[in-house]
Amino acid sequence: MVLITRVLGLLGLALAHALPLQSKLSQKSALGLVEIQHGSYFVEFHSEPATPACEEEHAQFIKQIRVAGINVHMRNSFRRLFNGVAIDLLNGSQLQRLAALPTVKRTWPMQMRSRSTAIPSSNVLPNLMFAHKHTGVDKTHKELGLDGTGVKVGVIDTGVDYLHPDLGGCWKTPGCPFQFGSDFVGDGYDSGTTPYPHPGPYPRDTCDGHGTHVAGIIAAKGDKVKGVAPGVTLGVYRIFGCPGNGTGQAADDVILKAMEAAHSDHMDVINMSFGGGSGWSEDPLSVAAARLVRDGIVMVASAGNDGANGLYTSGSPGLGVGVINVASFENWMTTSLSIDLIGRYSNMSIVHSSPGNSKHRFVFELPVPVVAPTDSAGSNEGCTSYNSRFDGQIVLLKRGNCTFVEKAAHAQDAGAAGVMVYNYDSELMSPSSASANLTIPLVIIKAEDGQAIIDELKNGSVTASATNHTMSVANPLGGQVSHFSSWGPDPELQLSPAVGAPGGNIFSTFPLALGGYTSLSGTSMASPYVAGMAALILQSRAKKVSTDEVRQLILESAHPIADKNSTGLLSPLRQGSGLADIWDAVSALAIIEPPQLSLNYTVAGDVRDSVRVLTLHNSSPTNFLACTMTHIAASSVSSYMTNGSFAATPRIWPESPQTHASRDTLPNAYIDNSTLPIRVAPGASQEISVHITAPTGLRESDRWFYSGYLQFNLLWDDEVGTARSLHIPYMGYLGNYTQLDVLSAPDEGFPYISVKGSTDTLGDDAHVTINGTHRVAVHYRLEHPTRLLKIQLVDDANVTQGYLPRGYLEYMGRNYQSSRGHYSNSTINGTLYKDTDLTKATDLENGMYRVRIDALRPLRDPQDPEGYQIWHSSRFIIDSVSLDKNMTASKLNDDKDIGDKVFQP
Ligand SMILES: *[C@@H]1O[C@H](CO)[C@@H](O)[C@H](O)[C@H]1NC(C)=O
Ligand SMILES: *[C@@H]1O[C@H](CO)[C@@H](O)[C@H](O)[C@H]1NC(C)=O
Ligand SMILES: *[C@@H]1O[C@H](CO)[C@@H](O)[C@H](O)[C@H]1NC(C)=O
Ligand SMILES: *[C@@H]1O[C@H](CO)[C@@H](O)[C@H](O)[C@H]1NC(C)=O
Ligand SMILES: *[C@@H]1O[C@H](CO)[C@@H](O)[C@H](O)[C@H]1NC(C)=O
Ligand SMILES: *[C@@H]1O[C@H](CO)[C@@H](O)[C@H](O)[C@H]1NC(C)=O
Ligand SMILES: *[C@@H]1O[C@H](CO)[C@@H](O)[C@H](O)[C@H]1NC(C)=O
Ligand SMILES: *[C@@H]1O[C@H](CO)[C@@H](O)[C@H](O)[C@H]1NC(C)=O
């Protein structure tokens, strides 16, 4: 989903520069497919960062590696947000010895991140302003005059084209919005292919555009784009290089350096529109982000663009404690290039979208006849050749059955001058039709427009003309959560995402060299929207407000939306607290703690009633506050279908807007009458006990997350403030969460073992030979993230013989289920380890073995042997082992099998 776009030409037609397939795949779902910088590690020391002991440990570590003769390349060292170093190991087999050094608490494989942009779209006119009408930004600018003046916002991204006139056109001169920041990487940096940064003198974004787009959403002050907080002071911390032929990623140590710099520059707010990583709040970047929150910086991050893969797709660092991770909502209007049609009885103008990757624009200055022919198979999909010719005409086709390239090729062969493909629905998706052989343009139009043309053709002829004119039309998906936006919760049952903001179809600034403006979609665009809102809150309260309060104000004043596919509200696992509303946030005179409730799991037979104590604070200096509560159920969601199989698109309950759901299948909530009535004096607080009852009528075996919203209706004894209600979402799991399986069900084909290079399962008592090239691979798929995964060889009596290389893995993300290719593996290569640090290597001997996988179930104690899901392979016989003594880290890492998209060192 990460396409890097550049804008070519005057019109800002987005040209999607598609990455090679492999790297696109791996970036797309950096969560399930954790991307590792091979041979690089974070080494964490024992004491807390920013303590005196920390300095001492750095000195000790250097001595210890010297004495131990471990060869490392020191990448970076950290003392403020993380206590430790980032290193490259020159000899992979030394990792184990390094991990055993006394200063070392643990090592973390170095992950890589990608920009969280989903889809470039072809919109070319200002439409950020449309969004501002729906989020209170317009009103807050106009009526309160807030613009973020005096607030410092850090943007950790691809840099910013600060010479763009809408962004100030200056760098660090007096009065310039850009006063902080630097380049940490240089143009050529790409952690996948060119892993060592060579920082340039300035963090100017001339070649990518992501950070310039993000900065525009926060702070642009032009006629075409006006950001949420155009008065802020900006810090630009560049962590991504130019898009090249690589993966376009940044390694976590570089990002951590940028976070430390933003910290020492005293940023008030930091935006992180990138994602990937393990999806755990324990991940080093999540922990560092949480430390920044604790130090008083409002941290805002994109939730991720992996919504298509279902639950547990919210990524780190957004999962850090107190970080605001932001889901994407669709913009209400989109602006696109138009086509003018003239028929016998009616004329119309319609919008279209064109491929980012085509050189051929749909421009017909003079009207051209439109035809809607059937192909030689009698279909109007144009998937076979035509029997007649349409020289110089535009062919109208239906989407489906074959690729856009094939459709265009058949039309081109029949002499057509252009192709319009009408979609299944009203979406203007961006077609992909790059082919060296095509010389005619192809565009997508809406289903209803295609039908209208066909109807008009029955009356006679229709002609079409198209220039570079644009039209704004309502987005039928406006105000809905974007389909790409990631789902929560986190693996430890914490509610995620935090809140939503416009991120789908957002028009903003782009580097001047790339056209100056473009539209992009992604949670990357939603995150800066909320960062801008945080700046407005800080300004409105003269910065006398804690990071927790800023988060509470944004979350509680958001408006949750309905679930179009169900009854009630959309699950907070998708929309968090709802669509953020800055007007309600800045004018709020009441706050409730905590802003979201992650309930525990609830099992049958237990009381299904959780009591939570909330604190309502009245910050009005003059008025009494009374309050009532309305409970609104949201849809329940599950990753499991009725037959128990796992599916990427969560199942919902109630299953449609028409479903009549009996009361016992919905959660309920009420205030404990011991805390009623609620009446809070000016400046005072009151505790409110709320009972939340899990549904009793849903089956535990269906593994539901139930959820809802507590709506607190505020009644001031004299009208003050305009925020009339606050929303607190809650989420809980129905069943015993600690018994959930981690490994996918056997009928999905995993786990299995095979001879390396083959996907055929090794048969019972198969004979195998292990040598430099011939190995056995263990394939497994994680349906649920796991804190600890152990892969061992056991003998015929189920006695442990040792761990495999990559046989002891912590904080693993889920594997996505969308194709067979998504799974992880480990290899039997002749070396086994006797201990969990993988320090004591032994040689594998001939004999009868099985592979055993122990996967720690959610929330279980790693020390508890009962806490694991255990799988045994069939038995196999190793007849001979000849070790490859020169196994290096990179060779070990290259040792991946067909379809392997995830592996950790
Ligand atoms: C549209 O195209 C015409 C010529 O084809 C050009 O003169 C004009 O500047 C373009 N308009 C915009 C907004 O780019
Ligand atoms: C990308 O690859 C192409 C062809 O392999 C090469 O010509 C080009 O120089 C490369 N670009 C970069 C930025 O590495
Ligand atoms: C789909 O396209 C194929 C050629 O790609 C054609 O043979 C077939 O008839 C088409 N099916 C329909 C239903 O149009
Ligand atoms: C382009 O046309 C040539 C010759 O007809 C054909 O061999 C080739 O596969 C085509 N390439 C694409 C990308 O369609
Ligand atoms: C509703 O269901 C349809 C069909 O399954 C799906 O495409 C769409 O994304 C769903 N909408 C929401 C808001 O989940
Ligand atoms: C969740 O519930 C279980 C079982 O009732 C309990 O052991 C555990 O401590 C609870 N966890 C939290 C965070 O309350
Ligand atoms: C509390 O409320 C319940 C039901 O709403 C009611 O039956 C009960 O009598 C109330 N108790 C007190 C002490 O008011
Ligand atoms: C959940 O399952 C675990 C493991 O079987 C068990 O120890 C625990 O008591 C169960 N929790 C409840 C609330 O039943």
Side-chain angles (χ1 to χ4, degrees):
M1 246 180 243
V2 179
L3 291 177
I4 297 160
T5 64
R6 298 160 189 251
V7 167
L8 289 189
L10 287 171
L11 291 175
L13 272 181
L15 179 88
H17 168 70
L19 293 161
L21 184 63
Q22 176 61 40
S23 59
K24 223 168 48 178
L25 271 179
S26 52
Q27 282 187 70
K28 181 171 177 173
S29 27
L31 264 188
L33 310 179
V34 174
E35 287 279 320
I36 299 297
Q37 174 102 59
H38 300 309
S40 305
Y41 300 88
F42 276 120
V43 180
E44 187 173 5
F45 304 152
H46 292 281
S47 55
E48 282 286 295
T51 59
C54 158
E55 200 57 54
E56 175 59 25
E57 280 178 326
H58 278 260
Q60 285 297 328
F61 175 73
I62 300 295
K63 281 188 201 145
Q64 288 166 5
I65 49 172
R66 203 169 292 145
V67 170
I70 301 172
N71 297 323
V72 306
H73 167 81
M74 198 63 81
R75 293 170 63 98
N76 271 306
S77 65
F78 302 95
R79 292 166 177 80
R80 289 175 84 101
L81 297 175
F82 175 85
N83 177 23
V85 292
I87 54 151
D88 291 335
L89 263 189
L90 304 182
N91 179 343
S93 65
Q94 294 185 327
L95 175 64
Q96 288 75 33
R97 285 168 51 214
L98 181 96
L101 298 177
T103 37
V104 176
K105 181 175 165 195
R106 63 182 304 156
T107 60
W108 300 82
M110 184 75 63
Q111 300 178 37
M112 306 194 288
R113 312 281 161 164
S114 311
R115 307 148 177 83
S116 299
T117 311
I119 311 128
S121 47
S122 56
N123 303 336
V124 293
L125 265 198
N127 60 18
L128 191 55
M129 276 81 121
F130 293 126
H132 291 348
K133 292 193 209 323
H134 295 264
T135 53
V137 168
D138 251 0
K139 199 170 167 190
T140 305
H141 285 168
K142 288 194 187 109
E143 296 187 21
L144 300 176
L146 293 174
D147 65 357
T149 297
V151 180
K152 290 185 276 189
V153 181
V155 176
I156 301 181
D157 213 298
T158 63
V160 175
D161 188 358
Y162 42 77
L163 295 185
H164 197 298
D166 287 1
L167 294 171
C170 53
W171 179 248
K172 293 190 179 176
T173 50
C176 179
F178 296 94
Q179 292 296 338
F180 300 92
S182 54
D183 181 7
F184 289 82
V185 290
D187 289 355
Y189 177 69
D190 176 339
S191 63
T193 55
T194 320
Y196 294 110
H198 295 287
Y202 302 104
R204 184 165 173 221
D205 171 19
T206 53
C207 59
D208 186 281
H210 187 271
T212 304
H213 201 268
V214 161
I217 293 168
I218 299 172
K221 39 187 160 235
D223 293 337
K224 286 179 148 187
V225 182
K226 187 176 185 196
V228 175
V232 296
T233 300
L234 289 160
V236 180
Y237 305 90
R238 183 182 187 216
I239 56 156
F240 290 111
C242 290
N245 294 335
T247 58
Q249 289 166 311
D252 278 5
D253 65 329
V254 171
I255 300 176
L256 197 52
K257 270 286 159 211
M259 289 166 79
E260 287 200 340
H263 186 230
S264 52
D265 288 345
H266 303 291
M267 291 294 122
D268 299 303
V269 181
I270 295 176
N271 183 71
M272 302 184 291
S273 285
F274 46 84
S278 69
W280 285 82
S281 60
E282 287 85 353
D283 156 322
L285 276 201
S286 297
V287 170
R291 289 200 168 108
L292 289 173
V293 172
R294 193 192 57 195
D295 287 355
I297 301 177
V298 179
M299 300 298 290
V300 190
S302 49
N305 299 333
D306 290 310
N309 290 299
L311 301 184
Y312 310 107
T313 50
S314 287
S316 54
L319 292 174
V321 177
V323 178
I324 306 176
N325 68 338
V326 187
S328 170
F329 279 62
E330 283 298 303
N331 204 347
W332 290 261
M333 298 287 278
T334 60
T335 308
S336 308
L337 292 161
S338 64
I339 302 173
D340 297 320
L341 296 154
I342 300 172
R344 180 161 173 204
Y345 294 121
S346 63
N347 300 339
M348 62 191 278
S349 292
I350 63 171
V351 284
H352 72 78
S353 64
S354 39
N357 53 10
S358 169
K359 290 187 194 71
H360 310 289
R361 294 214 206 142
F362 197 86
V363 173
F364 296 94
E365 301 273 356
L366 298 173
V368 175
V370 178
V371 287
T374 50
D375 58 23
S376 52
S379 156
N380 56 0
E381 287 167 332
C383 294
T384 56
S385 58
Y386 293 96
N387 296 328
S388 40
R389 296 199 56 85
F390 317 107
D391 290 301
Q393 302 181 351
I394 292 170
V395 172
L396 175 66
L397 304 170
K398 190 173 170 185
R399 184 177 170 195
N401 193 22
C402 59
T403 66
F404 294 121
V405 171
E406 289 168 301
K407 288 174 193 281
H410 294 138
Q412 180 173 310
D413 289 347
V419 179
M420 296 190 290
V421 179
Y422 61 97
N423 204 350
Y424 307 128
D425 53 26
S426 299
E427 195 186 340
L428 284 183
M429 41 94 65
S430 199
S432 163
S433 71
S435 164
N437 292 353
L438 287 183
T439 55
I440 63 170
L442 174 144
V443 295
I444 298 287
I445 64 174
K446 298 180 176 198
E448 61 269 27
D449 293 339
Q451 197 53 53
I453 297 170
I454 287 170
D455 291 347
E456 189 61 30
L457 280 169
K458 289 179 190 146
N459 298 326
S461 68
V462 175
T463 63
S465 58
T467 56
N468 52 13
H469 292 150
T470 58
M471 244 172 83
S472 290
V473 294
N475 177 0
L477 299 173
Q480 297 293 303
V481 171
S482 305
H483 62 87
F484 53 76
S485 193
S486 286
W487 291 80
D490 95 341
E492 294 165 307
L493 223 44
Q494 295 302 307
L495 181 43
S496 171
V499 74
N505 281 300
I506 303 296
F507 180 85
S508 182
T509 45
F510 219 52
L512 296 171
L514 305 178
Y517 302 92
T518 198
S519 283
L520 292 176
S521 294
T523 52
S524 271
M525 283 65 242
S527 178
Y529 206 97
V530 169
M533 287 179 161
L536 299 184
I537 293 176
L538 287 166
Q539 182 192 15
S540 76
R541 313 240 161 168
K543 295 198 195 174
K544 291 187 173 47
V545 54
S546 70
T547 50
D548 278 350
E549 285 164 335
V550 171
R551 183 163 179 272
Q552 284 159 12
L553 287 166
I554 291 173
L555 268 54
E556 291 169 13
S557 53
H559 303 292
I561 59 164
D563 191 339
K564 290 236 160 154
N565 287 342
S566 184
T567 53
L569 298 179
L570 183 66
S571 172
L573 295 179
R574 188 88 157 117
Q575 64 169 332
S577 294
L579 178 64
D581 184 324
I582 188 62
W583 174 263
D584 282 358
V586 290
S587 53
L589 282 172
I591 217 167
I592 294 179
E593 271 180 276
Q596 299 190 317
L597 297 172
S598 297
L599 304 178
N600 207 340
Y601 60 88
T602 317
V603 298
D606 261 27
V607 187
R608 295 209 169 184
D609 186 276
S610 315
V611 182
R612 292 297 149 121
V613 179
L614 303 167
T615 306
L616 172 64
H617 180 71
N618 176 1
S619 47
S620 162
T622 51
N623 296 66
F624 273 79
L625 170 63
C627 175
T628 61
M629 190 189 87
T630 311
H631 172 253
I632 314 171
S635 40
S636 292
V637 296
S638 168
S639 290
Y640 298 88
M641 303 300 107
T642 36
N643 65 3
S645 66
F646 190 100
T649 305
R651 183 178 161 206
I652 52 174
W653 176 263
E655 53 205 349
S656 84
Q658 287 76 39
T659 306
H660 174 74
S662 63
R663 279 194 73 95
D664 68 344
T665 63
L666 300 173
N668 192 22
Y670 59 95
I671 297 180
D672 190 299
N673 38 19
S674 69
T675 55
L676 286 173
I678 302 169
R679 188 164 163 78
V680 195
S685 300
Q686 179 173 333
E687 290 193 340
I688 306 174
S689 290
V690 179
H691 293 256
I692 301 171
T693 329
T696 53
L698 293 181
R699 293 190 317 175
E700 265 182 32
S701 56
D702 284 342
R703 293 168 271 189
W704 292 106
F705 286 98
Y706 64 92
S707 61
Y709 291 81
L710 311 177
Q711 177 178 305
F712 289 90
N713 312 301
L714 308 178
L715 308 159
W716 300 91
D717 65 350
D718 188 14
E719 284 297 299
V720 292
T722 51
R724 293 280 168 73
S725 62
L726 302 176
H727 289 98
I728 308 287
Y730 67 84
M731 172 280 299
Y733 178 79
L734 206 59
N736 192 330
Y737 192 67
T738 72
Q739 290 176 357
L740 268 179
D741 281 348
V742 168
L743 298 167
S744 65
D747 61 2
E748 292 180 35
F750 293 96
Y752 71 96
I753 55 173
S754 73
V755 168
K756 181 182 175 291
S758 156
T759 50
D760 295 336
T761 301
L762 214 53
D764 276 346
D765 287 338
H767 287 258
V768 292
T769 298
I770 307 289
N771 60 36
T773 53
H774 201 249
R775 314 208 179 123
V776 172
V778 184
H779 312 256
Y780 55 91
R781 176 187 270 175
L782 302 179
E783 211 163 72
H784 193 284
T786 182
R787 157 88 176 71
L788 181 58
L789 188 79
K790 300 191 272 192
I791 308 172
Q792 315 171 48
L793 271 194
V794 295
D795 67 11
D796 203 29
N798 197 22
V799 174
T800 294
Q801 299 302 298
Y803 293 101
L804 301 191
R806 300 202 303 262
Y808 190 87
L809 301 160
E810 299 182 84
Y811 298 109
M812 297 282 283
R814 220 195 83 199
N815 291 126
Y816 296 153
Q817 321 289 308
S818 42
S819 80
R820 183 174 159 81
H822 294 191
Y823 57 89
S824 304
N825 74 12
S826 186
T827 309
I828 303 169
N829 66 5
T831 301
L832 291 179
Y833 298 92
K834 291 294 183 189
D835 60 335
T836 59
D837 282 343
L838 307 186
T839 59
K840 303 193 180 94
T842 60
D843 292 351
L844 176 62
E845 286 168 12
N846 296 348
M848 281 188 183
Y849 296 97
R850 290 174 205 269
V851 173
R852 167 176 161 161
I853 302 180
D854 292 39
L856 189 65
R857 296 183 193 273
L859 300 177
R860 298 295 282 264
D861 176 1
Q863 303 304 324
D864 174 8
E866 303 289 308
Y868 293 84
Q869 179 186 3
I870 297 171
W871 172 84
H872 283 99
S873 74
S874 57
R875 190 170 70 173
F876 55 95
I877 298 149
I878 295 179
D879 290 331
S880 104
V881 182
S882 46
L883 275 179
D884 181 358
K885 293 286 181 199
N886 301 318
M887 181 66 65
T888 59
S890 63
K891 196 156 173 209
L892 190 62
N893 284 323
D894 284 343
D895 194 8
K896 47 182 169 161
D897 209 344
I898 294 170
D900 177 25
K901 300 288 192 293
V902 181
F903 54 95
Q904 304 208 357

